[in-house]
Amino acid sequence: MRVVKTGADLRQVLDEYTAAGCRRVLVPTMGALHHGHLELVRHARMTAGPGGTVIVSIFVNPIQFDRANDLDAYPRPVESDLEKCLAAAVDVVFLPEVAAMYHADRSVTVAESLLSKGLCGASRPGHFDGVCTVVLKLFLLSGCDAAVFGEKDFQQLAIIRRMVRDLDVPVEILECPTVRESDGLAMSSRNVRLNARQRADAPRIHRALAAAGKLAHADEILAAARAEIEASPFARIDYLELVDAQTLQPVTDLHQPAVLAAAVFYGEVRLIDHVAVPARKPPHTTTHAMSCD
Ligand code: AMP
């Protein structure tokens, strides 16, 4: 496994590595790797095939953070991340410093203007511009054929798909389901920042969403999920929304597939999760056979 720190080194190493006709598959991360990330790597390894190259980028991207304390507190266990990458048969780790990614006077940003307006985009201004910018840079620096993302960040995934479509970026976007702890909490690099009581309480987010998502009507779904999360002495809802699965716009009925999504603060730590809410069939209309005799 090679560890490289600049774009120029990445290109050079990848040119040596990738055999003709084989795929380069990228897994972009911010490190503090857990089993969720490693599932993405496993998927990348399978997709790349024996002659292909799996690249993991580890970069805590400052321009996608809206709170300085969140950026400062973000865990950075580089040595153990590298050990995990080695064990997962990663070929190349891209581990740039901020100065290797951004010019001090940088002035170009990739901005998505529709799907990024609600949910996390509304509570974290500029976040998705930062995500789109760094992801496009990572695509260009690695020259990857495909990249793997987690469904856990479903808004991010939708926005990246939109960026790739709208800008004709020649990268196939692959996705992996959310990996959870045994108590249902979605794995996240931020979970290590929860104290013991917050950690014990946090599975309530998924419990609330999963139970409420089975109810029949949009208003009762939102009310039930809110009641369960607000029953916690530790949790503070940032947002709780039922949105159309395609447009990410809020919905008040379930004629189309929807997503029930929440962001919840435990102290300074903000956790996100969501469940799919399938479209409800309209009530069956009984037609009585007409007798014509
Ligand atoms: P992050 O390091 O948090 O920026 O995440 C890097 C990638 O890992 C993103 O595509 C995330 O959606 C994905 N990811 C994070 N947590 C999970 C999880 N619990 N299950 C599946 N994918 C995840």
Side-chain angles (χ1 to χ4, degrees):
M1 184 177 86
R2 300 281 295 270
V3 181
V4 293
K5 298 203 156 214
T6 66
D9 287 349
L10 181 63
R11 274 194 215 101
Q12 193 190 331
V13 165
L14 288 174
D15 285 345
E16 290 165 21
Y17 246 91
T18 317
C22 291
R23 304 225 306 164
R24 286 179 189 172
V25 185
L26 172 70
V27 180
T29 81
M30 296 204 299
L33 302 180
H34 50 66
H35 287 294
H37 295 116
L38 296 177
E39 272 302 293
L40 270 52
V41 172
R42 205 172 60 82
H43 196 73
R45 186 73 273 165
M46 267 167 29
T47 306
T53 308
V54 173
I55 310 141
V56 170
S57 61
I58 299 179
F59 180 59
V60 183
N61 177 33
I63 69 166
Q64 71 184 68
F65 282 78
D66 53 308
R67 292 178 294 136
N69 58 350
D70 191 29
L71 174 61
D72 294 343
Y74 203 86
R76 293 164 169 88
V78 174
E79 287 310 314
S80 85
D81 281 351
L82 293 178
E83 282 166 22
K84 287 174 186 168
C85 287
L86 188 61
V90 171
D91 298 305
V92 179
V93 177
F94 182 46
L95 187 68
E97 301 288 340
V98 174
M101 288 295 281
Y102 295 120
H103 294 278
D105 62 347
R106 67 177 190 89
S107 54
V108 175
T109 303
V110 182
E112 195 284 336
S113 59
L114 199 60
L115 303 175
S116 56
K117 288 301 157 210
L119 304 169
C120 290
S123 46
R124 303 184 69 189
H127 169 67
F128 287 115
D129 294 359
V131 170
C132 285
T133 303
V134 80
V135 167
L136 186 60
K137 281 171 73 76
L138 292 167
F139 287 177
L140 294 168
L141 288 169
S142 65
C144 59
D145 302 290
V148 190
F149 293 86
E151 258 176 33
K152 172 174 178 274
D153 299 273
F154 83 100
Q155 186 179 16
Q156 168 175 287
L157 184 57
I159 291 166
I160 287 166
R161 286 193 186 283
R162 179 63 60 93
M163 173 181 81
V164 163
R165 186 197 76 176
D166 285 0
L167 300 184
D168 301 305
V169 181
V171 175
E172 185 187 1
I173 304 300
L174 307 167
E175 62 189 75
C176 280
T178 302
V179 179
R180 299 181 179 280
E181 303 286 356
S182 53
D183 58 12
L185 177 65
M187 288 190 184
S188 163
S189 303
R190 291 189 167 87
N191 292 352
V192 296
R193 293 177 54 206
L194 299 171
N195 68 32
R197 287 191 301 174
Q198 292 167 336
R199 172 65 188 82
D201 190 74
R204 129 182 350 257
I205 304 171
H206 180 243
R207 207 166 55 232
L209 299 180
K214 296 195 175 84
L215 299 173
H217 300 290
D219 50 354
E220 56 189 4
I221 288 174
L222 285 166
R226 179 168 291 279
E228 171 67 13
I229 297 172
E230 286 183 345
S232 162
F234 308 110
R236 180 171 62 80
I237 294 177
D238 180 25
Y239 68 73
L240 172 69
E241 287 195 51
L242 189 64
V243 297
D244 182 282
Q246 294 299 317
T247 66
L248 309 192
Q249 296 300 310
V251 293
T252 52
D253 59 51
L254 291 169
H255 298 331
Q256 303 290 333
V259 174
L260 178 62
V264 177
F265 276 105
Y266 278 82
E268 290 286 305
V269 184
R270 184 174 173 281
L271 304 178
I272 58 170
D273 205 346
H274 71 281
V275 294
V277 182
R280 309 297 191 234
K281 290 208 177 73
H284 195 63
T285 43
T286 35
T287 46
H288 297 286
M290 303 282 278
S291 159
C292 301
D293 55 4

